[in-house]
Amino acid sequence: MKTKTIPALLILSALLLTGTTIAQERLRLATTTSTDNSGVLKVLHPPFEASYDVKIDVIAVGTGKALRLGENGDVDVLMVHAPDAEKAFIAKGFGSARLPVMHNDFVIIGPADDPADVRSATGISQAMKKIADGSTGFISRGDDSGTHKKELSLWQTAGIEPAGGWYLSVGQGMGAVLKIADDRQAYTLSDRGTYLAFAGKIGLEVLHAGDEVLLNPYHVILLDRERHPHIKSRLARQYADFIRGAEGQKIIADFRIDGKQLFYPDVVR
């Protein structure tokens, strides 16, 4: 008795008729809550997903946790903003490449009436001292994110140990911290992108910015395939090439909220 071979086309037709489809490829991206909260990924990702027929699963956490996900091989690619931690990650052999994508800056925001007189500060260290000496309070992310790491370095440079009733560490993402600071009419450190995304929802204002130390660069990090053979390294490289390529960099440069640019591309051509 001869066995009949069913053509592949008939199998595919049967799958379609029964409502069964071939699973779409997925790329796991660990990135920061500030990147996600800003809204830039909502315009940056769809063109890539359409071009490569892939779905990007965004895991938005603090940079520290994102790097740990990378160490464990729980994601395929990273986009974070804590240079010292990123360099340490590469030095330990967890990543194969660290590539610039974009930047904005960190800003000190607070109540419009500025009870600590932060607006008059001539530098970031003086601004931090004014906040610590005041009674209004400061809301810290407290989540080992890139923003939290930057905040801690600013206190250290200013010679201040942040503790006491004026300092509240909440362990939350940037969006949540902005809302808490607004509710309490307190000061906080934010990346400019997330602040601009939330500016219409809160009454806090930018009170200090512009210091060179407040520059906030974002890098895409490719993971070491030898350490984690299961990761989608080819797709991760394609993603990195896209966001650093002409189309991705233009999307980043053109992304605005209320006419204000949130990020600046970092790939020199």
Side-chain angles (χ1 to χ4, degrees), residues 155-170:
W155 292 123
Q156 183 177 29
T157 300
I160 297 168
E161 180 66 33
W166 63 273
Y167 185 80
L168 179 62
S169 180
V170 296

Side-chain angles (χ1 to χ4, degrees), residues 127-140:
M128 303 303 280
K129 289 176 181 176
K130 283 177 173 290
I131 294 171
D133 291 341
S135 58
T136 303
F138 183 93
I139 309 300
S140 170

